[in-house]
Amino acid sequence: EPTLEGKLLRIVLRGQFFLYNQIRLMVGTAVSIVTGALPEELLEMALSLTTEMHMPLAPPTGLLLRTAGFSRMDQRAGACAMDPHQAKECMLPDGGFTLMDDKATVAAQAFVKHVEADMDVQWRESGEADAWRAKLAGIQAPSGAVLEELRAMLLVTSRENRDFRSQQADSDQKRREAQLANFGEKSCVGLLPRRFAADLMVRFRLVPGWRVTNIQASLAARMRNWHQDPSSKPEKM
């Protein structure tokens, strides 16, 4: 999203943890593709293949840890959210505490704008913007025989991944049927697809917390009810 009247572009990333230089690599790769320095197909290759690829690393200027929170710690440690908005998103338990109230949140937002203004100065006066543009212009993407080899490897990997997902789906179906047959089991384990929670959080921009747990528990309960009473199951479900 644009900030500072369009002078800068703010990119917001949220996750449970990040690897060293991960964000700079993500941003550097995205900028390289949208500017045409790298072909878009190279992104899929980098994500799918085991071949090590050195993707462009964005400058560190502008990288800012905006907020953090711990909504699902051990009960002995308690639950914590950074601000009221985050507390609502993660359904902070009654015993949890919020680090900043509404007044402090407004002050933090004002501080971010101050930091962004300083980033704008650093980008222009340090020459880092020009250096980054020059680096992008000098990127040499794979071509010729190397690119064709990568494409062939991607085809093989894609085929293997499809076969693996198909086998995994069959295994999940058998496990789901076994769990549904066990009426005494109330857990959602084995009923929902693998990586369901992770995909749910990414798709609907949820944060780890009781909301995700409750959604899974509710879906599992409905699946058990539909198994016992098929007539209650909605069409195309």
Side-chain angles (χ1 to χ4, degrees):
E1 56 186 8
T3 184
L4 289 181
E5 299 180 348
K7 293 181 180 179
L8 297 179
L9 187 66
R10 180 190 296 142
I11 301 174
V12 180
L13 299 171
R14 180 170 66 186
Q16 289 181 270
F17 55 84
F18 295 99
L19 301 176
Y20 180 67
N21 278 339
Q22 179 181 348
I23 295 177
R24 293 176 60 191
L25 285 169
M26 292 169 65
V27 173
T29 302
V31 171
S32 300
I33 291 175
V34 299
T35 57
L38 289 177
E40 187 173 353
E41 64 177 328
L42 201 64
L43 177 59
E44 184 179 2
M45 294 174 181
L47 294 173
S48 302
L49 300 178
T50 56
T51 303
E52 183 177 354
M53 296 187 184
H54 295 278
M55 307 303 281
L57 187 68
T61 302
L63 184 60
L64 171 68
L65 175 61
R66 171 62 183 83
T67 187
F70 306 92
S71 59
R72 291 296 299 276
M73 296 192 295
D74 187 279
Q75 292 184 357
R76 293 171 296 178
C80 167
M82 181 62 71
D83 51 42
H85 177 70
Q86 189 183 83
K88 182 179 179 180
E89 278 193 322
C90 68
M91 297 181 67
L92 192 69
D94 293 336
F97 59 94
T98 305
L99 295 176
M100 300 192 306
D101 57 16
D102 291 330
K103 182 178 180 180
T105 301
V106 173
Q109 293 172 346
F111 175 73
V112 169
K113 293 183 178 180
H114 176 75
V115 172
E116 289 177 343
D118 185 62
M119 293 175 183
D120 178 45
V121 174
Q122 290 186 45
W123 269 103
R124 288 185 287 104
E125 297 185 356
S126 67
E128 197 158 26
D130 293 332
W132 175 231
R133 293 190 188 97
K135 181 179 180 180
L136 291 175
I139 292 177
Q140 294 183 354
S143 60
V146 175
L147 182 58
E148 291 302 323
E149 182 180 358
L150 290 172
R151 287 170 175 167
M153 293 170 60
L154 181 60
L155 287 175
V156 174
T157 301
S158 299
R159 190 181 306 113
E160 292 175 347
N161 288 339
R162 283 195 300 269
D163 293 341
F164 174 75
R165 286 194 295 268
S166 178
Q167 295 174 4
Q168 192 175 67
D170 292 339
S171 175
D172 288 345
Q173 180 65 27
K174 294 178 181 178
R175 184 178 58 170
R176 186 178 303 114
E177 292 173 353
Q179 284 289 76
L180 288 173
N182 183 4
F183 297 114
E185 176 62 54
K186 300 301 181 182
S187 170
C188 61
V189 177
L191 288 180
L192 302 175
R194 302 173 196 266
R195 291 188 52 81
F196 177 82
D199 292 341
L200 183 70
M201 288 186 287
V202 172
R203 174 65 178 82
F204 295 100
R205 301 187 66 182
L206 302 177
V207 297
W210 294 110
R211 178 172 283 106
V212 176
T213 301
N214 291 342
I215 291 174
Q216 294 183 93
S218 178
L219 285 174
R222 292 193 180 196
M223 291 174 69
R224 294 187 185 281
N225 290 336
W226 295 336
H227 180 73
Q228 298 178 37
D229 182 13
S231 63
S232 64
K233 184 177 181 179
E235 295 184 4
K236 299 181 180 181
M237 287 293 290

